[in-house]
């Protein structure tokens, strides 16, 4: 089996095993450190025993590649390796400090550890429950193995590296040469949003990885009868997409339909129908338990109404979809010069009767346009890579080539996204899976230009690729909130300062309250917080304490009474702390934090 395919299949097996293991251990109340360690020791031992020849083969293939590669191919490999090495340094040195992770990605992991299962619990931040947990299940393994979050950033880094691998393989499957495959990997790996997210605990690279796995596995089946194990892997990859972020199905879904049609064309009726059943069953095995919890809690497997409505388009008329597409495209392709195209887009919207800031097509509380440069992991644009992808997808959709159908499916995924998902300021990170699917198309039309007979074309093309790589390097060097150089560098900033780098004014307040509670000897601490407040720092500062939410938006999971806790901390609560804290508990205020300790 080809090395890249074996690695991709192994990744799907790993993801599936990680998820199923969490659900099984949770169901039998054995989700704790000892059980995870036993499983991982066994898995590592088996991998080391059976994979000895495989790893030696990879080293041999790398040596062969280096000996056969041309100068440009070696340069691309060095640039890619340098990018991911720099990201590795940041990932290991910087603690998780992404905004969403402080609010809901990482607190849910701590709740799971504390209760020994992935069942729902009382919380006012319902995104901890309703947002798909696929990436966090993998983080949970690391949390139980290490006891902390020091390796959390490696999950997205691995997803980014494997994403580059998948982009290169898809380029080869579409007829690209070795150079085109390397260019695809380069374009994906140096996209600024990819370079920044590769050191974070966001989930966009993880879902892009699983979408890419679906794409490359489907492409393998274009001209052959799909085996039953291959069908099961397709279903597993699709299940991982659903469990990680449902928007990924906007691309994975059409790809699976294409596979079904291809099987029908080969007159494999039984295999197509039975295979579809296997795919659905695999998706249910992986995502079913979580979706069932969401359904029983919110009467909808996609979560509460307010959360769905904040993301999903409420208008689908052509005019609204057009404006949504233009805003998403402008935000993704925005250059350091700013939102130059925004005024014409707003003018067009008003001319055709669409409010460019309307809540039915815009994330609540947001206003278009939004500056997406300089590089910030939540919003950074990628004008060079984005433009190359769109041009390649347009050209290849019209040419008669092996990539024509794939390009059409890419455009179908883009259309599905702009029809279903509202524009939002941080939407650039939500389309990373489209970037992965599109970079092979960009590489296929760029590569011939590098051997064009006119030297000026070759130099211009090389300059564009170099500029894209520089943009990615700049994102790694000075991007926010983790950077190599400048103010806030991971080399000069303390771990705790890094944790609060998004909200430095909160650090002293959190620490003062935590120190007072620690000194009091309180064991159980109640949390009162707003919908976007940071819960995760309390799990770091009050490690070893039993933390519970004194608020709950879930009627099936009522919050515990304040009498059951020894102390209470409040951060900018929507209703004052007086509502939750008994009058005889002295209250102390530290900036944004109010705390109270049960009198003895």
């Amino acid at each position: 089996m080809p090395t890249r395919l074996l690695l991709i299949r192994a990744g799907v097996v790993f993801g599936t095993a990680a998820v199923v293991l969490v659900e099984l251990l949770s169901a039998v109340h054995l989700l704790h450190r000892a059980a995870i360690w036993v499983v991982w020791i066994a898995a590592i031992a088996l991998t080391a025993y059976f994979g000895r020849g495989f790893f030696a083969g990879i080293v041999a293939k790398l040596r062969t590649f280096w000996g056969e590669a041309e100068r440009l191919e070696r340069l691309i490999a060095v640039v890619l390796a340098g990018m991911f090495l720099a990201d590795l340094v940041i990932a290991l040195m910087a603690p998780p400090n992404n905004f969403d992770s402080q609010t809901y990605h990482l607190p849910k992991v701590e709740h799971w550890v504390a209760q020994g299962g992935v069942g729902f619990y009382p919380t006012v931040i319902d995104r901890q429950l309703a947002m798909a947990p696929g990436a966090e299940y993998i983080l949970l393994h690391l949390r139980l193995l290490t006891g902390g979050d020091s390796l959390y950033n490696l999950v997205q880094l691995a997803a980014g590296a494997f994403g580059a691998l998948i982009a290169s393989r898809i380029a080869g499957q579409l007829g690209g040469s070795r150079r085109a495959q390397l260019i695809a990997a380069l374009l994906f790996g140096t996209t600024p949003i990819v370079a920044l997210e590769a050191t974070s605990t966001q989930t966009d690279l993880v879902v892009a990885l699983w979408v890419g796995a679906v794409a490359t596995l489907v492409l393998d089946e274009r001209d052959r009868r799909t085996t039953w194990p291959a069908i099961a892997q397709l279903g597993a990859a699709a299940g991982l997409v659903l469990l990680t972020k449902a928007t990924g199905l906007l691309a994975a879904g059409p790809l699976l339909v294409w596979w079904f049609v291809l099987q029908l064309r080969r007159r494999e009726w039984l295999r197509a129908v039975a295979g579809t059943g296997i795919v659905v069953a695999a998706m249910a095995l992986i995502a079913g338990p979580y979706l069932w919890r969401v359904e029983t809690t919110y009467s909808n497997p996609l979560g509460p109404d307010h959360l769905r409505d904040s993301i999903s388009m409420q208008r689908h008329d052509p005019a609204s979809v057009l404006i949504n597409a233009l805003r998403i495209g402008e935000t993704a392709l925005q250059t350091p010069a700013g939102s130059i195209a925004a005024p014409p887009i707003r003018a067009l919207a008003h001319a055709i009767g669409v409010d460019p800031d309307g809540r039915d097509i815009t994330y609540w509380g947001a206003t278009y346009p939004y500056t997406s440069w300089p590089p910030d992991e939540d919003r950074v644009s990628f004008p060079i890579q984005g433009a190359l992808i769109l041009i390649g997808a347009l050209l290849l959709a019209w040419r008669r080539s092996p990539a024509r159908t794939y390009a059409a499916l890419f455009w179908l995924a883009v259309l599905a996204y702009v029809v279903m998902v509202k524009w939002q300021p941080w939407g650039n990170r939500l389309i990373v899976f489209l970037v992965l699917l599109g970079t092979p198309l960009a590489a296929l039309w760029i590569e011939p230009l590098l051997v064009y007979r006119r030297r000026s074309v070759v130099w211009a093309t090389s300059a564009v690729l170099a500029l894209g790589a520089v943009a990615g390097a700049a994102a790694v060097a000075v991007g926010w909130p983790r950077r190599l150089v400048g103010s806030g560098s991971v080399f000069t900033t303390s771990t705790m300062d890094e944790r609060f780098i998004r909200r430095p004014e909160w650090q002293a307040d959190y620490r003062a309250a935590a120190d007072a509670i620690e000194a009091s000897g309180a064991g159980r601490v109640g949390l009162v917080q707003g919908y976007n407040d940071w819960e995760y720092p309390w799990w770091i500062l009050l490690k070893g304490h039993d933390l519970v939410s004194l608020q709950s938006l879930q009627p099936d999971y009522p919050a515990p009474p304040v009498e059951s806790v020894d102390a209470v901390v409040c951060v900018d609560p929507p209703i004052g702390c007086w509502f939750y804290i008994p009058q005889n508990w002295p209250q102390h205020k530290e900036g944004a934090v109010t705390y109270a300790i049960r009198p003895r």
Side-chain angles (χ1 to χ4, degrees):
M1 184 182 295
T3 302
R4 284 180 295 184
L5 177 59
L6 185 57
L7 287 171
I8 292 165
R9 289 189 181 276
V12 173
V13 170
F14 165 78
T16 302
V19 168
V20 172
L21 180 63
V22 165
E23 290 288 359
L24 286 177
L25 291 179
S26 177
V28 296
H29 309 291
L30 289 175
L31 187 60
H32 49 65
R33 193 172 189 181
I36 291 292
W37 263 105
V38 168
V39 173
W40 271 81
I41 289 174
I44 291 172
L46 289 173
T47 302
Y49 179 78
F50 291 105
R52 290 172 297 175
F54 173 71
F55 295 121
I58 289 181
V59 173
K61 288 185 177 181
L62 288 175
R63 288 176 177 171
T64 301
F65 160 76
W66 192 257
E68 297 176 349
E70 300 173 358
R71 182 181 301 176
L72 178 60
E73 294 172 347
R74 289 184 178 182
L75 178 61
I76 291 175
V78 169
V79 170
L80 264 177
M83 285 286 295
F84 282 114
L85 181 60
D87 270 338
L88 177 62
V89 171
I90 296 175
L92 291 175
M93 294 193 65
N97 60 4
N98 156 268
F99 192 101
D100 287 349
S101 295
Q102 306 277 26
T103 302
Y104 63 93
H105 285 309
L106 302 188
K108 70 170 72 173
V109 176
E110 296 300 322
H111 281 286
W112 294 337
V113 172
Q115 66 186 17
V118 293
F120 285 178
Y121 49 84
T123 178
V124 73
I125 306 174
D126 54 13
R127 287 174 294 173
Q128 293 182 10
L129 309 182
M131 299 295 273
E136 289 88 343
Y137 277 12
I138 300 175
L139 294 181
L140 176 60
H141 281 261
L142 295 176
R143 172 65 175 82
L144 292 172
L145 287 170
T146 67
D149 60 13
S150 59
L151 300 182
Y152 277 8
N153 294 332
L154 296 184
V155 172
Q156 282 263 106
L157 179 63
F162 269 78
L165 182 80
I166 289 174
S168 72
R169 186 168 192 267
I170 291 175
Q173 290 173 299
L174 298 178
S177 64
R178 184 173 65 187
R179 179 182 291 180
Q181 295 173 45
L182 285 167
I183 291 173
L186 176 70
L187 288 173
F188 181 76
T190 58
T191 300
I193 192 70
V194 172
L196 279 171
E197 282 224 10
T199 63
S200 81
T201 44
Q202 282 283 17
T203 62
D204 306 290
L205 279 175
V206 178
V207 72
L209 168 66
W210 303 134
V211 171
V214 171
T216 193
L217 292 176
V218 166
L219 285 170
D220 276 339
E221 308 306 321
R222 286 175 298 174
D223 302 314
R224 68 188 186 193
R225 182 189 193 197
T226 308
T227 65
W228 298 115
I231 292 173
Q233 283 233 307
L234 275 175
L240 291 170
V241 171
L242 177 57
L243 187 64
T244 305
K245 190 166 286 190
T247 50
L249 290 179
L250 299 175
L255 286 162
L256 290 172
V257 171
W258 185 38
W259 167 81
F260 179 80
V261 172
L262 289 172
Q263 294 301 299
L264 291 182
R265 285 182 177 176
R266 294 181 58 84
R267 301 185 182 277
E268 296 286 350
W269 297 86
L270 176 61
R271 193 167 294 262
V273 174
T276 300
I278 292 173
V279 168
V280 173
M283 294 176 69
L285 172 67
I286 293 171
Y290 157 73
L291 292 176
W292 175 251
R293 288 191 290 271
V294 178
E295 166 66 31
T296 54
T297 302
Y298 301 107
S299 300
N300 191 307
L302 297 179
D305 293 343
H306 73 91
L307 195 57
R308 297 196 316 275
D309 291 345
S310 69
I311 299 172
S312 302
M313 289 273 285
Q314 274 85 58
R315 287 183 60 177
H316 301 94
D317 56 284
S320 297
V321 171
L322 173 63
I323 296 304
N324 195 46
L326 292 174
R327 293 179 305 166
I328 290 171
E330 185 275 329
T331 306
L333 300 177
Q334 198 175 114
T335 70
S339 304
I340 298 174
I345 292 174
R346 292 187 65 89
L348 175 62
H350 290 302
I352 60 179
V354 177
D355 180 0
D357 301 319
R359 296 287 77 87
D360 45 6
I361 64 170
T362 305
Y363 190 88
W364 58 271
T367 301
Y368 176 78
Y370 191 81
T371 302
S372 54
W373 193 275
D376 184 300
E377 71 167 357
D378 282 338
R379 64 175 187 264
V380 64
S381 58
F382 35 93
I384 296 172
Q385 289 86 353
L388 295 177
I389 288 170
L390 294 178
I391 294 171
L394 281 172
L395 291 176
L396 294 171
W398 291 104
R399 290 179 183 172
R400 291 189 177 276
S401 71
R404 188 175 187 179
T405 303
Y406 179 86
L409 289 169
F410 170 80
W411 284 114
L412 182 59
V414 171
L415 177 62
Y417 183 87
V418 301
V419 168
M420 299 299 297
V421 182
K422 293 177 177 178
W423 175 87
Q424 47 194 287
W426 43 88
N428 287 345
R429 64 180 180 80
L430 302 183
I431 58 175
V432 171
F433 70 93
L434 295 175
V435 173
L436 192 153
L437 295 181
T439 45
L441 297 171
L444 289 177
W445 82 269
I446 288 172
E447 193 271 339
L449 299 180
L450 293 173
V451 292
Y452 199 70
R453 62 180 180 272
R454 291 189 179 180
R455 186 173 294 273
S456 59
V457 173
V458 175
W459 280 107
T461 305
S462 300
V464 170
L465 289 176
L467 191 58
V470 168
V476 172
V478 298
W480 200 250
R482 296 165 301 280
R483 54 173 43 164
L484 285 176
V485 299
S487 176
S489 165
V490 294
F491 295 113
T492 59
T493 308
S494 70
T495 299
M496 192 57 67
D497 286 345
E498 282 278 353
R499 291 188 184 278
F500 283 91
I501 206 161
R502 285 285 197 192
R503 288 285 184 88
E505 68 276 10
W506 279 0
Q507 182 178 348
D509 305 340
Y510 271 71
R511 296 194 70 168
D515 289 345
I517 291 172
E518 192 77 48
S520 73
R524 198 168 198 233
V525 181
L527 305 177
V528 178
Q529 51 200 352
Y531 195 70
N532 284 307
D533 285 341
W534 288 8
E535 178 181 320
Y536 186 61
W538 295 121
W539 293 94
I540 298 299
L541 296 170
L542 294 172
K543 191 170 185 178
H545 292 70
D546 182 14
L547 304 186
V548 295
S549 174
L550 296 180
Q551 309 153 285
S552 179
L553 293 180
Q554 293 72 41
D556 295 337
Y557 301 94
V562 68
E563 291 77 17
S564 68
V565 301
D566 304 312
V568 176
V569 290
C570 308
V571 182
D572 290 335
I575 302 178
C577 287
W578 58 267
F579 186 83
Y580 297 93
I581 301 176
Q583 293 184 357
N584 64 326
W585 289 29
Q587 295 186 27
H588 308 273
K589 187 170 179 60
E590 295 286 348
V593 177
T594 299
Y595 69 92
I597 300 171
R598 178 194 294 274
R600 296 185 182 278

